[in-house]
PDB file of all heavy atoms in Angstrom:
ATOM      1  N   LYS A  27     -53.321 128.264 139.084  1.00  0.00           N
ATOM      2  CA  LYS A  27     -54.111 128.113 140.306  1.00  0.00           C
ATOM      3  C   LYS A  27     -53.694 129.145 141.305  1.00  0.00           C
ATOM      4  O   LYS A  27     -52.559 129.491 141.455  1.00  0.00           O
ATOM      5  CB  LYS A  27     -53.902 126.702 140.873  1.00  0.00           C
ATOM      6  CG  LYS A  27     -54.460 125.636 139.978  1.00  0.00           C
ATOM      7  CD  LYS A  27     -54.377 124.284 140.603  1.00  0.00           C
ATOM      8  CE  LYS A  27     -55.022 123.250 139.711  1.00  0.00           C
ATOM      9  NZ  LYS A  27     -54.915 121.939 140.262  1.00  0.00           N
ATOM     10  N   GLN A  28     -54.691 129.621 142.077  1.00  0.00           N
ATOM     11  CA  GLN A  28     -54.434 130.657 143.054  1.00  0.00           C
ATOM     12  C   GLN A  28     -54.454 130.048 144.408  1.00  0.00           C
ATOM     13  O   GLN A  28     -55.150 129.050 144.693  1.00  0.00           O
ATOM     14  CB  GLN A  28     -55.517 131.731 142.934  1.00  0.00           C
ATOM     15  CG  GLN A  28     -55.501 132.387 141.577  1.00  0.00           C
ATOM     16  CD  GLN A  28     -56.675 133.357 141.413  1.00  0.00           C
ATOM     17  OE1 GLN A  28     -57.407 133.547 142.344  1.00  0.00           O
ATOM     18  NE2 GLN A  28     -56.815 133.900 140.211  1.00  0.00           N
ATOM     19  N   ALA A  33     -58.251 136.256 146.144  1.00  0.00           N
ATOM     20  CA  ALA A  33     -57.190 136.978 145.394  1.00  0.00           C
ATOM     21  C   ALA A  33     -57.694 137.170 143.975  1.00  0.00           C
ATOM     22  O   ALA A  33     -58.412 136.359 143.413  1.00  0.00           O
ATOM     23  CB  ALA A  33     -55.895 136.157 145.364  1.00  0.00           C
ATOM     24  N   SER A  40     -48.071 140.501 129.728  1.00  0.00           N
ATOM     25  CA  SER A  40     -48.246 141.492 128.668  1.00  0.00           C
ATOM     26  C   SER A  40     -47.253 141.239 127.576  1.00  0.00           C
ATOM     27  O   SER A  40     -46.064 141.093 127.795  1.00  0.00           O
ATOM     28  CB  SER A  40     -48.117 142.904 129.237  1.00  0.00           C
ATOM     29  OG  SER A  40     -46.797 143.056 129.732  1.00  0.00           O
ATOM     30  N   LYS A  45     -56.016 142.230 123.993  1.00  0.00           N
ATOM     31  CA  LYS A  45     -56.540 142.756 125.242  1.00  0.00           C
ATOM     32  C   LYS A  45     -57.990 143.133 125.033  1.00  0.00           C
ATOM     33  O   LYS A  45     -58.362 143.647 123.982  1.00  0.00           O
ATOM     34  CB  LYS A  45     -55.715 143.966 125.679  1.00  0.00           C
ATOM     35  CG  LYS A  45     -54.288 143.654 125.999  1.00  0.00           C
ATOM     36  CD  LYS A  45     -53.540 144.910 126.366  1.00  0.00           C
ATOM     37  CE  LYS A  45     -52.087 144.610 126.523  1.00  0.00           C
ATOM     38  NZ  LYS A  45     -51.297 145.832 126.768  1.00  0.00           N
ATOM     39  N   LEU A  48     -62.515 148.644 124.634  1.00  0.00           N
ATOM     40  CA  LEU A  48     -62.857 149.513 123.509  1.00  0.00           C
ATOM     41  C   LEU A  48     -62.459 150.927 123.865  1.00  0.00           C
ATOM     42  O   LEU A  48     -62.752 151.420 124.918  1.00  0.00           O
ATOM     43  CB  LEU A  48     -64.358 149.432 123.202  1.00  0.00           C
ATOM     44  CG  LEU A  48     -64.847 148.107 122.677  1.00  0.00           C
ATOM     45  CD1 LEU A  48     -66.365 148.173 122.556  1.00  0.00           C
ATOM     46  CD2 LEU A  48     -64.228 147.804 121.343  1.00  0.00           C
ATOM     47  N   ASN A  50     -62.550 155.146 122.608  1.00  0.00           N
ATOM     48  CA  ASN A  50     -63.560 156.027 122.038  1.00  0.00           C
ATOM     49  C   ASN A  50     -63.604 155.908 120.514  1.00  0.00           C
ATOM     50  O   ASN A  50     -64.648 155.969 119.923  1.00  0.00           O
ATOM     51  CB  ASN A  50     -63.314 157.455 122.451  1.00  0.00           C
ATOM     52  CG  ASN A  50     -63.695 157.751 123.831  1.00  0.00           C
ATOM     53  OD1 ASN A  50     -64.532 157.029 124.399  1.00  0.00           O
ATOM     54  ND2 ASN A  50     -63.134 158.755 124.431  1.00  0.00           N
ATOM     55  N   GLY A  65     -79.435 153.228 107.781  1.00  0.00           N
ATOM     56  CA  GLY A  65     -79.931 154.231 106.864  1.00  0.00           C
ATOM     57  C   GLY A  65     -79.965 153.702 105.431  1.00  0.00           C
ATOM     58  O   GLY A  65     -80.841 153.991 104.640  1.00  0.00           O
ATOM     59  N   ILE A  74     -86.469 150.582  96.170  1.00  0.00           N
ATOM     60  CA  ILE A  74     -86.731 149.309  95.524  1.00  0.00           C
ATOM     61  C   ILE A  74     -88.222 149.100  95.370  1.00  0.00           C
ATOM     62  O   ILE A  74     -88.712 148.576  94.365  1.00  0.00           O
ATOM     63  CB  ILE A  74     -86.074 148.164  96.344  1.00  0.00           C
ATOM     64  CG1 ILE A  74     -84.555 148.228  96.209  1.00  0.00           C
ATOM     65  CG2 ILE A  74     -86.594 146.781  95.855  1.00  0.00           C
ATOM     66  CD1 ILE A  74     -83.813 147.280  97.103  1.00  0.00           C
ATOM     67  N   ILE A  81     -83.181 149.780  90.541  1.00  0.00           N
ATOM     68  CA  ILE A  81     -82.562 150.806  91.374  1.00  0.00           C
ATOM     69  C   ILE A  81     -81.137 150.381  91.732  1.00  0.00           C
ATOM     70  O   ILE A  81     -80.276 151.250  91.943  1.00  0.00           O
ATOM     71  CB  ILE A  81     -83.412 151.069  92.619  1.00  0.00           C
ATOM     72  CG1 ILE A  81     -82.980 152.364  93.314  1.00  0.00           C
ATOM     73  CG2 ILE A  81     -83.271 149.979  93.639  1.00  0.00           C
ATOM     74  CD1 ILE A  81     -83.714 153.538  92.947  1.00  0.00           C
ATOM     75  N   SER A  84     -78.796 151.893  89.230  1.00  0.00           N
ATOM     76  CA  SER A  84     -78.544 153.309  89.476  1.00  0.00           C
ATOM     77  C   SER A  84     -77.624 153.491  90.729  1.00  0.00           C
ATOM     78  O   SER A  84     -76.776 154.385  90.692  1.00  0.00           O
ATOM     79  CB  SER A  84     -79.798 154.095  89.647  1.00  0.00           C
ATOM     80  OG  SER A  84     -80.522 153.634  90.782  1.00  0.00           O
ATOM     81  N   VAL A  88     -74.066 155.459  90.486  1.00  0.00           N
ATOM     82  CA  VAL A  88     -73.732 156.598  91.413  1.00  0.00           C
ATOM     83  C   VAL A  88     -72.521 156.229  92.221  1.00  0.00           C
ATOM     84  O   VAL A  88     -71.680 157.108  92.452  1.00  0.00           O
ATOM     85  CB  VAL A  88     -74.959 156.901  92.260  1.00  0.00           C
ATOM     86  CG1 VAL A  88     -74.565 157.890  93.388  1.00  0.00           C
ATOM     87  CG2 VAL A  88     -76.070 157.518  91.436  1.00  0.00           C
ATOM     88  N   VAL A  92     -69.131 158.459  92.368  1.00  0.00           N
ATOM     89  CA  VAL A  92     -68.546 158.965  93.596  1.00  0.00           C
ATOM     90  C   VAL A  92     -67.104 158.571  93.703  1.00  0.00           C
ATOM     91  O   VAL A  92     -66.234 159.410  94.099  1.00  0.00           O
ATOM     92  CB  VAL A  92     -69.371 158.503  94.833  1.00  0.00           C
ATOM     93  CG1 VAL A  92     -68.623 158.733  96.147  1.00  0.00           C
ATOM     94  CG2 VAL A  92     -70.692 159.140  94.876  1.00  0.00           C
ATOM     95  N   LEU A  94     -65.022 157.954  91.263  1.00  0.00           N
ATOM     96  CA  LEU A  94     -64.273 158.782  90.277  1.00  0.00           C
ATOM     97  C   LEU A  94     -64.067 160.216  90.753  1.00  0.00           C
ATOM     98  O   LEU A  94     -62.958 160.769  90.651  1.00  0.00           O
ATOM     99  CB  LEU A  94     -64.961 158.771  88.924  1.00  0.00           C
ATOM    100  CG  LEU A  94     -64.978 157.443  88.173  1.00  0.00           C
ATOM    101  CD1 LEU A  94     -65.782 157.554  86.934  1.00  0.00           C
ATOM    102  CD2 LEU A  94     -63.576 157.036  87.845  1.00  0.00           C
ATOM    103  N   PRO A 107     -51.415 171.026  96.528  1.00  0.00           N
ATOM    104  CA  PRO A 107     -51.928 171.049  97.922  1.00  0.00           C
ATOM    105  C   PRO A 107     -52.308 172.443  98.323  1.00  0.00           C
ATOM    106  O   PRO A 107     -51.610 173.434  97.996  1.00  0.00           O
ATOM    107  CB  PRO A 107     -50.750 170.516  98.727  1.00  0.00           C
ATOM    108  CG  PRO A 107     -49.671 170.208  97.809  1.00  0.00           C
ATOM    109  CD  PRO A 107     -50.053 170.595  96.439  1.00  0.00           C
ATOM    110  N   THR A 108     -53.391 172.565  99.019  1.00  0.00           N
ATOM    111  CA  THR A 108     -53.864 173.883  99.499  1.00  0.00           C
ATOM    112  C   THR A 108     -54.472 173.708 100.906  1.00  0.00           C
ATOM    113  O   THR A 108     -54.830 172.582 101.276  1.00  0.00           O
ATOM    114  CB  THR A 108     -54.908 174.500  98.547  1.00  0.00           C
ATOM    115  OG1 THR A 108     -55.268 175.762  99.041  1.00  0.00           O
ATOM    116  CG2 THR A 108     -56.097 173.651  98.392  1.00  0.00           C
ATOM    117  N   SER A 113     -63.568 173.563  97.529  1.00  0.00           N
ATOM    118  CA  SER A 113     -64.008 174.712  96.781  1.00  0.00           C
ATOM    119  C   SER A 113     -62.817 175.529  96.271  1.00  0.00           C
ATOM    120  O   SER A 113     -62.940 176.281  95.297  1.00  0.00           O
ATOM    121  CB  SER A 113     -64.923 175.608  97.633  1.00  0.00           C
ATOM    122  OG  SER A 113     -64.224 176.141  98.702  1.00  0.00           O
ATOM    123  N   LEU A 120     -62.226 177.087  87.765  1.00  0.00           N
ATOM    124  CA  LEU A 120     -63.401 177.717  87.059  1.00  0.00           C
ATOM    125  C   LEU A 120     -63.597 179.184  87.363  1.00  0.00           C
ATOM    126  O   LEU A 120     -64.365 179.890  86.696  1.00  0.00           O
ATOM    127  CB  LEU A 120     -64.669 176.981  87.460  1.00  0.00           C
ATOM    128  CG  LEU A 120     -64.694 175.469  87.095  1.00  0.00           C
ATOM    129  CD1 LEU A 120     -65.938 174.831  87.645  1.00  0.00           C
ATOM    130  CD2 LEU A 120     -64.618 175.288  85.586  1.00  0.00           C
ATOM    131  N   GLY A 125     -65.877 178.851  93.023  1.00  0.00           N
ATOM    132  CA  GLY A 125     -65.430 178.483  94.379  1.00  0.00           C
ATOM    133  C   GLY A 125     -66.333 179.036  95.447  1.00  0.00           C
ATOM    134  O   GLY A 125     -66.655 178.350  96.409  1.00  0.00           O
ATOM    135  N   VAL A 137     -76.554 172.394 106.417  1.00  0.00           N
ATOM    136  CA  VAL A 137     -77.570 172.984 107.281  1.00  0.00           C
ATOM    137  C   VAL A 137     -78.911 172.293 107.068  1.00  0.00           C
ATOM    138  O   VAL A 137     -79.619 171.977 108.010  1.00  0.00           O
ATOM    139  CB  VAL A 137     -77.661 174.529 107.010  1.00  0.00           C
ATOM    140  CG1 VAL A 137     -78.910 175.112 107.649  1.00  0.00           C
ATOM    141  CG2 VAL A 137     -76.424 175.208 107.524  1.00  0.00           C
ATOM    142  N   ALA A 141     -81.022 169.791 109.718  1.00  0.00           N
ATOM    143  CA  ALA A 141     -82.410 170.095 110.016  1.00  0.00           C
ATOM    144  C   ALA A 141     -83.293 168.873 109.755  1.00  0.00           C
ATOM    145  O   ALA A 141     -84.184 168.532 110.540  1.00  0.00           O
ATOM    146  CB  ALA A 141     -82.890 171.310 109.275  1.00  0.00           C
ATOM    147  N   VAL A 142     -83.062 168.181 108.660  1.00  0.00           N
ATOM    148  CA  VAL A 142     -83.869 167.012 108.276  1.00  0.00           C
ATOM    149  C   VAL A 142     -83.595 165.879 109.284  1.00  0.00           C
ATOM    150  O   VAL A 142     -84.512 165.187 109.743  1.00  0.00           O
ATOM    151  CB  VAL A 142     -83.567 166.587 106.829  1.00  0.00           C
ATOM    152  CG1 VAL A 142     -84.132 165.207 106.542  1.00  0.00           C
ATOM    153  CG2 VAL A 142     -84.132 167.610 105.847  1.00  0.00           C
TER     154      VAL A 142
END
Side-chain angles (χ1 to χ4, degrees):
K27 292 186 179 180
Q28 299 173 5
S40 62
K45 296 177 185 174
L48 292 174
N50 284 338
I74 291 172
I81 194 94
S84 64
V88 170
V92 167
L94 290 175
T108 182
S113 65
L120 302 174
V137 167
V142 168

